[in-house]
């Protein structure tokens, strides 16, 4: 039964639930192994695929299973307005090798909000970051984080780690008390550390950092949203010649 399979997938560390068309689209585009794809109105999802992801229209057509609207409504809270849900295999944890790739990498220290975490993954994928690692309790592959990333978790390694990995990358702490961020300030292949929404970065991480950088803000503004800060720094680092 579909309802049981989705309920089981939510408790299976080897599986993830993808909520909504964009999450499914990106997951498929970046190589996700889909186990289930369900919609109460397949025709509507196929129209979306034709319009927004013609490269995947055949895959959607071949894989979609129509399910009753009342069953679909019970599979996710809130039910995704684009009317499609999927179960995919969670990629193996590649955290030891995740920092080997080119480009800056992102470390989120104890993020609390899955939506923020997902938004950070989304911009990291778009900006070509090597990986997103997280510490703390939040599961970076929680369905709400996958919703926030629009499924872009599948575009780069995303993993939870117990401690700051030793990678040979310069550790750069993003901290409103640091030196002002300007073009050229982000060392290449940096491990960029961002603090939790409420408490910022731990003193222990700040003490280990090779550099502390602050994003300039108008007086009176105390901080930027976590994912916004990630976006500013990654794009500044990505612009050639900066
Ligand atoms: C919402 S902020 C945390 C605010 C927290 N109340 C604090 O005291 O730091 C989340 C993270 O985004 C980064 N951040 C936000 N605004 C920043 C800024 N202007 N400069 C550097 N980092 C910033 C920091 O890493 C911060 O820990």
């Amino acid at each position: 039964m579909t309802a049981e399979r989705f309920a089981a997938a939510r408790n299976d560390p080897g599986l993830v639930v993808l909520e909504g068309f964009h999450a499914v689209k990106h997951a498929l585009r970046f190589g996700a192994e889909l186990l289930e794809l369900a919609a109460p109105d397949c025709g509507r999802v196929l129209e979306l695929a034709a319009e927004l992801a013609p490269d995947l229209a055949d895959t959607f057509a071949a894989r979609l299973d129509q399910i009753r609207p009342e069953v679909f409504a019970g599979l996710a809270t809130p039910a995704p307005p684009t009317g499609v849900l999927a179960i995919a295999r969670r990629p193996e944890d590649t955290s030891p090798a995740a920092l080997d790739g080119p480009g800056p990498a992102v470390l989120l220290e104890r993020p609390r909000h899955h939506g923020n975490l997902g938004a950070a993954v989304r911009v990291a994928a778009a900006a070509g970051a090597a990986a997103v690692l997280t510490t703390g309790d939040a599961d970076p592959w929680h369905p709400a984080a996958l919703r926030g990333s629009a499924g872009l978790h599948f575009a780069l390694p995303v993993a939870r780690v117990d401690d700051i990995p030793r990678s040979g990358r310069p550790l750069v702490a993003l901290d409103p008390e640091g030196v002002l961020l300007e073009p050229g300030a982000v060392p290449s292949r940096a491990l960029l550390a961002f603090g939790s929404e409420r408490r910022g970065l731990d003193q222990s991480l700040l003490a280990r950092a090779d550099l502390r950088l602050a994003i300039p803000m108008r007086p009176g503004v105390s901080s930027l949203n976590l994912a916004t800060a990630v976006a500013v720094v990654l794009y500044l680092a990505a612009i050639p010649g900066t």
Side-chain angles (χ1 to χ4, degrees):
M1 290 267 296
T2 307
E4 273 102 52
R5 287 196 295 276
F6 272 86
R10 289 187 187 280
N11 293 315
D12 184 334
L15 301 177
V16 293
V17 174
L18 297 164
E19 300 178 349
F21 182 81
H22 299 287
V24 176
K25 170 192 75 179
H26 280 135
L28 280 172
R29 224 174 244 160
F30 289 97
E33 186 188 342
L34 230 56
L35 305 181
E36 192 124 4
L37 185 61
D41 181 350
C42 292
R44 190 170 152 242
V45 177
L46 292 178
E47 279 173 20
L48 279 178
E51 187 189 340
L52 303 173
D55 54 316
L56 298 170
D58 289 348
T59 309
F60 274 97
R63 300 295 308 275
L64 264 176
D65 285 326
Q66 181 118 356
I67 58 170
R68 293 200 314 276
E70 61 273 22
V71 174
F72 186 82
L75 299 183
T77 310
T82 47
V84 62
L85 288 164
I87 300 172
R89 209 172 287 291
R90 179 170 170 158
E92 263 177 46
D93 183 347
T94 53
S95 54
L99 299 180
D100 293 349
V106 172
L107 175 71
L108 304 178
E109 198 180 53
R110 293 174 287 99
R112 294 172 64 90
H113 299 289
H114 291 116
N116 269 341
L117 200 165
V121 170
R122 184 174 188 166
V123 74
V132 176
L133 303 179
T134 65
T135 62
D137 295 336
D139 177 8
W141 285 81
H142 187 279
L146 278 155
R147 209 188 260 226
S149 80
L152 282 163
H153 281 62
F154 289 88
L156 76 176
V158 176
R160 182 163 48 184
V161 292
D162 289 330
D163 199 5
I164 309 165
R166 299 196 180 275
S167 61
R169 290 171 175 263
L171 179 62
V172 177
L174 276 299
D175 171 25
E177 306 292 313
V179 297
L180 277 188
L181 177 65
E182 54 182 35
V186 182
S188 62
R189 298 196 77 249
L191 177 57
L192 302 164
F194 298 84
S196 74
E197 294 88 341
R198 203 173 300 166
R199 300 220 313 261
L201 282 166
D202 263 2
Q203 282 304 322
S204 60
L205 189 145
L206 290 171
R208 277 172 67 174
D210 299 292
L211 179 64
R212 294 187 197 185
L213 290 174
I215 302 165
M217 294 181 295
R218 178 179 173 179
V221 179
S222 50
S223 70
L224 298 174
N225 163 273
L226 172 59
T228 305
V230 174
V232 169
V233 179
L234 284 179
Y235 275 98
L236 188 73
I239 296 169
T242 60

